[in-house]
Structure formats: structure tokens, C-alpha cells
Amino acid sequence: MKRSILFDTETTGLDPATGDRVIEIAAVELVGDLPTGKNFRVLIDPERDVPEEASRVHGFTAADLEGKPKFAEVVDDFLAFIGDDPLIAHNARFDFGFLNAELKRTGYKPLDMGRMVDTLDMARERFPGMPNSLDALCRRFGIDLSARTTHNALLDCKLLADVYLELMGGRQHGLGLVADGQQAPSVFYEGPAQRRVVRVVPKADELAAHTAFVSKMGETVWSS
């Protein structure tokens, strides 16, 4: 089954070009669109102050990050966890922008934008003109938000994993389409114009059973 990584960041502000830095990275491994239980999470010393308005959003102050590793000290572990797999995030361009700024600062190659899967784009396509924040999507899909008092990156990842599954068709997508012992197909979002379509082809004995059943029904509209 396809492996992908769902991730989130928290930052000191909104724009890496003006000196804002990453202070938290969290990531969740998905296989077949479902969490495996393997997670990555780290708090990072941003090597600068944390503005009060940012602290109100994510709950972290400069004191909370004092003594935490710098990005250069955790980058190898993060890259090893994400591998070469697709990277899923909500408003993913924001997170990619910050991570690529950090990677450039430490002399690493930027993340390939072709790996990006943006659940905000997916939600806007499915629910045009409606609120599509993470909170709004959780409420729309009946996902419990009671623990979300601040924008903790790992909690946001776990909520987004549930949202992503719903956007992909819910827990029933791909189930019941294969014989015992075979791997269920996984549908992976690749943008508005590209989707994999799963088709079920009946076996010869199934067709024969269907024909025998229909023959007992006498004259039907579709047989005339």
C-alpha cells in the first residue's frame, strides 16, 4: 500500500522571508490513508524571540523552547522519517515554505513541491464557497475538537488524518473490493484532474451465477 506522511508546523510568525522560524514539527505516517501509529514530533529552538501574537496561537513562549535542539540538529531525523513519500498538509504551501527556508538555511535541498498534497485544496474543491479551515472541516465531519485549545502540531496532525480520510471517501473506501489475502486498493488524491478509478471486474463463476439468477426472473426490461 502507498505510504504517505501527514505533517504540520508551528512557527514564530507568518513569513520566513522576514525572519520567522519553525518552532515545532509533527508528522504522522499513513499507509493506505490510515495512521500506522508511527509519529514524529520535535520542539525547536528558533534562535530568535517568539512574538506574543504567535504564542497566543500555538501556546509556546521563548521560555518553552529554551534548550531545545536547533533545526540543524533535527533535520536528518525528520528527513529520514518522511523519506521520499508524498507530504500531506492543510494549507501545505505555508508549511512547505517554512521547511524549505529552514532546509536552505542549513544547506539541504528543498522539498520537491511535486510531493505536496494540500487538504485545503481538496476541501475547496469538495466544498466550494464554504469555510474550510481545519476546525470547520472537523465540525463538518463530526470529528471531536474538544482537545484543541491551541494549535499543537501533533494534535493537528491527528485531527487532519481523520479529515483527510473523510476527504478521501471515509473508512469504507477501498473495502470489500478484493478477495481474502489480497491488498485493498488505495485511492490517492493527485489534484482535481488526476484520480485513480477502482473498477471491480466480476469473475466467470460470478457472471454465471448472476446469469442463472436473472434467468429465473422471466422477461425483464433489460432482456427485451
Side-chain angles (χ1 to χ4, degrees):
M1 284 189 178
K2 181 181 285 291
R3 179 184 189 262
S4 52
I5 300 296
L6 189 150
F7 78 102
D8 187 36
T9 62
E10 298 297 343
T11 66
T12 64
L14 299 176
D15 189 355
T18 61
D20 286 317
R21 301 287 301 272
V22 172
I23 63 169
E24 183 184 18
I25 304 172
V28 172
E29 180 187 64
L30 305 181
V31 173
D33 300 332
L34 295 173
T36 64
K38 293 182 180 179
N39 303 327
F40 176 93
R41 192 235 178 179
V42 64
L43 290 176
I44 298 169
D45 176 1
E47 303 178 78
R48 55 152 291 169
D49 66 307
V50 180
E52 184 179 346
E53 57 269 27
S55 294
R56 284 198 295 268
V57 173
H58 48 59
F60 295 112
T61 66
D64 295 322
L65 304 171
E66 186 176 350
K68 300 300 182 185
K70 297 177 175 58
F71 184 84
E73 299 173 71
V74 302
V75 60
D76 288 331
D77 289 341
F78 173 66
L79 293 176
F81 184 81
I82 66 174
D84 297 321
D85 298 301
L87 298 171
I88 306 162
H90 200 66
N91 192 18
R93 291 168 186 81
F94 176 89
D95 300 285
F96 267 71
F98 266 94
L99 285 177
N100 281 342
E102 296 286 358
L103 289 166
K104 181 179 179 181
R105 186 177 286 110
T106 50
Y108 285 76
K109 292 192 308 182
L111 299 173
D112 181 356
M113 298 297 282
R115 298 172 63 182
M116 182 176 72
V117 179
D118 194 339
T119 53
L120 181 57
D121 288 346
M122 295 172 67
R124 284 171 172 167
E125 182 189 0
R126 182 166 172 182
F127 305 110
M130 297 178 67
N132 286 306
S133 66
L134 180 57
D135 281 1
L137 290 168
C138 285
R139 287 191 290 268
R140 193 169 301 148
F141 291 128
I143 296 166
D144 183 12
L145 276 168
S146 60
R148 194 176 192 245
T149 56
T150 58
H151 286 200
N152 174 284
L154 185 56
L155 174 59
D156 283 1
C157 281
K158 291 177 179 179
L159 292 172
L160 186 58
D162 289 337
V163 166
Y164 177 68
L165 185 60
E166 293 295 337
L167 289 171
M168 293 297 291
R171 292 189 178 275
Q172 296 305 310
H173 87 280
L175 297 181
L177 301 182
V178 294
D180 290 344
Q182 292 183 325
Q183 181 172 287
S186 175
V187 181
F188 184 74
Y189 179 84
E190 296 175 321
Q194 297 177 316
R195 288 181 176 82
R196 183 186 306 166
V197 178
V198 178
R199 293 184 174 86
V200 181
V201 180
K203 298 177 181 177
D205 58 336
E206 294 171 330
L207 287 172
H210 174 72
T211 301
F213 173 77
V214 172
S215 68
K216 297 178 183 178
M217 299 174 65
E219 188 173 349
T220 60
V221 174
W222 57 84
S223 63
S224 59

